[in-house]
Amino acid sequence: MEPALSIPSSSSSSPPSSPFDVAAAAAEILAAVRAVDARIASAASAASALVDGGSDAFTTTTTPASTTTATTATTTPPPYTALASALAAAAPLVREHARLSLARAYLALVRDFSRRAAAAADAVAILESTAEAGTGAGTTKTTTTAAIAAVASACEALDETRAEARSGWGGGGGGGGGGKGATQATTTTTRMERWMDETVEAVVARAVAVVSRRLADAVAALGWPNPIVAIESSSAKHDAARAAFADALAVQNIVDKFELAPAGPVLPIQALLDAVVARMRFHFTGDRPTNKLERPEWLLQHILKTAKDHAEFLDGEVQDWLNQDGFARCSASQEFMHGLVLFARSKFRNDLPALLARPHLLSHAVGEFIRFDKRVLSFATTDRDADGDGDVWVEEEFERLAVVKVVTESNDVFKAWLGTEKLAAREKLALIMKKDPWSWADVSLSNPEGVLATTSSEALMDLIGSVTDRYRILPISHRILVLKRVQCAILDDYLDEIRRAVNAYESTFTPLEGGTGSPRLAERVTTVCRAACSLLFVRDAVAEMGETVFFLQMWDHLQRHLNPGSDPSEGIFADAVRSYDLVAARIQAVLVEDCTKEFVEAAWKYGNKNDWDASATAADAPHPTTPSPELAEAVDALSGLVHAVRRNLPAAASVRVLRELAAAVADHLWRQVVVVARRRRFSPAGGRQLAVDVDFVWRRLFEAALRSVPVGFRRLREACTILKLDEDGMSTLLSGLLGSTEGVRQTLLAIDVQRLSPAEVEDVARRSLVCERLLRAFDDDDGDDGDGDDGDFESGRGGEYGGDDDGEHAGAGEDAV
């Protein structure tokens, strides 16, 4: 049975012993091989005897049957079947022989490895003895260098044997066969691999301990770990420190060659750090008053101060030593900071359970980690983005120098921190919304689109920016999580606040006050306009923020790894921008609807006015110059709301709202005044009064905001032009309408009617008393029955305008335009 293997830890001061008695195992394997050889020889002899039996051995014999039965032949199995059986029995023996032969070869390698391990241990012992002898004499320097070279040579020999053994046994262990034997062989070779690895590690560890101790003693003579300001380059202490530093770097080369280096600073810098870290461990662990869970910044500030105190020695003398010995790739100050960061990580990992139990302290601690890391990484990182955004850290530097890695390396801790960040951000947003959220932040400042910031929108973007600063140094995958779970969540919460404000606006009823409009309604319109302005400001801000290099890198990462089917032109905040646009559009629609309702309710008297046919017989009736009093009241009611829209929405948004409102007001006047019913008739004086009213509405409410007259008001003006016609003008119009298509077009152009269709022109003309008289006279001349209502003018289209629902073709006409 195979002896149990006992593999010592790699931290042992001497090479681990062989995993089993090599001589006894070799003798046992040799005996097993000989036994297998004998069994194989026996099987071969039996097979040879069968073959040597001659050709008769392979003949078939026949036994005659009874004379009273049919003749039959009995065939005896041929002797070569026995040969095949013998060979089949010999096959496992051959495989066993091969396995044992391989095991014997392994044992030879182990024997060779043990011999070389002993030689390496002797080399390390010589190195230890030179270190104990002293550090001053030149002979000691020569001896130490030779001892280190011997250790390196011995380690190379060990590594060669280890590589040869690994290439021989690979991953399979001991040759053919499966089941229990194969498992046992694999286990054995795994233990042998581990033993060889630990042997090499133990040899190197002893060499590391020797040179580290020697360097620590040498720099202590210079005053370390106190700050070293200046050293006399010709002093014996300086020479001793320089020699010890060079020896440490020589051993570092051995460590690097065999890839035995832990994730830490180079060996000489680690030797310098040991005394420094010992002091920190004394002050910042245990029950010391300087070790407080709620004050992680004390340790971090002490680390920064320590690095600053030793910067002159590290950046000067130590960096020169590194450059001279082939380690110019290493920065002494960064290697030193790396070691201090490793201690800080170890200390804070121990604190994590207590921090997780107190989320507010976890949030504070992570904030301090990030503040510290930004200072450290700002000096260590040279890969910056091009536009000065900065802080897009190289992943390697984060792994080496970031204390906050203690948070990102654990999913549970990182999720807990995300929860605290989200809660804190929501609490800040709640405070923002309590302090007059819709007042202007600064009326003298606006974004490039002319959108003013409210106090809440400006504070929200400050909050978003502060969150960005907190996670800017994290790895990109963690940045995306913070973006989604904190920043996007806060943007959604702010959008919900605005939705609630709009819902409250819609659900509040404000009655008219004396027909002159409601100041309370104007205040509510102001509030909802500023809420819309807040939306637009945040939308523009996040869209612009998404175009910075920092967020473009995250968007690129999302597209390549998480969402490859997305549109690359959209940007990382595309969903938020769309959501904000939808709510902004809804607010604008609500404003148009409410303002239109206000005008309609205030203009009810104007809609019921029935004196449009006044002065029908007065040829010299004066032209009106003032608007109808009934309409003036409605315009006064709407003007306050229009003023509120113009003052509180950016120019582009207010133009959109007022253009839609102008269309709604014009449509109301068209439907309720011009084509409301057949019984309403206009005299030329009434048409002129309507023209004055339409012009008053346009100039008072919309002319200052809109660059061009909307289609609805153009149609109203053209209707007024038709209603103002005298008998000569109306006669010409009617004659033209009965002509060809080109004749109709020329007739309408002559009176500057371009927006109304011929059908609409006929409908408007039918409201004119002048047109009515002309048609009656035409009917009388034709000998008509004299009803005076349906002449040839309407015979072709009378079916289109039946009843009082005259608004249908008004809308159709506008669509046609």
Side-chain angles (χ1 to χ4, degrees), residues 758-775:
E760 290 174 326
V761 170
E762 293 180 11
D763 192 23
V764 172
R766 191 174 56 187
R767 268 68 177 169
S768 169
L769 289 173
V770 174
C771 177
E772 186 177 83
R773 287 197 302 272
L774 291 174
L775 290 176

Side-chain angles (χ1 to χ4, degrees), residues 587-602:
I587 291 176
Q588 294 174 21
V590 167
L591 286 172
V592 172
E593 182 180 355
D594 276 15
C595 290
T596 302
K597 287 181 180 179
E598 177 77 1
F599 178 78
V600 169
E601 292 175 2

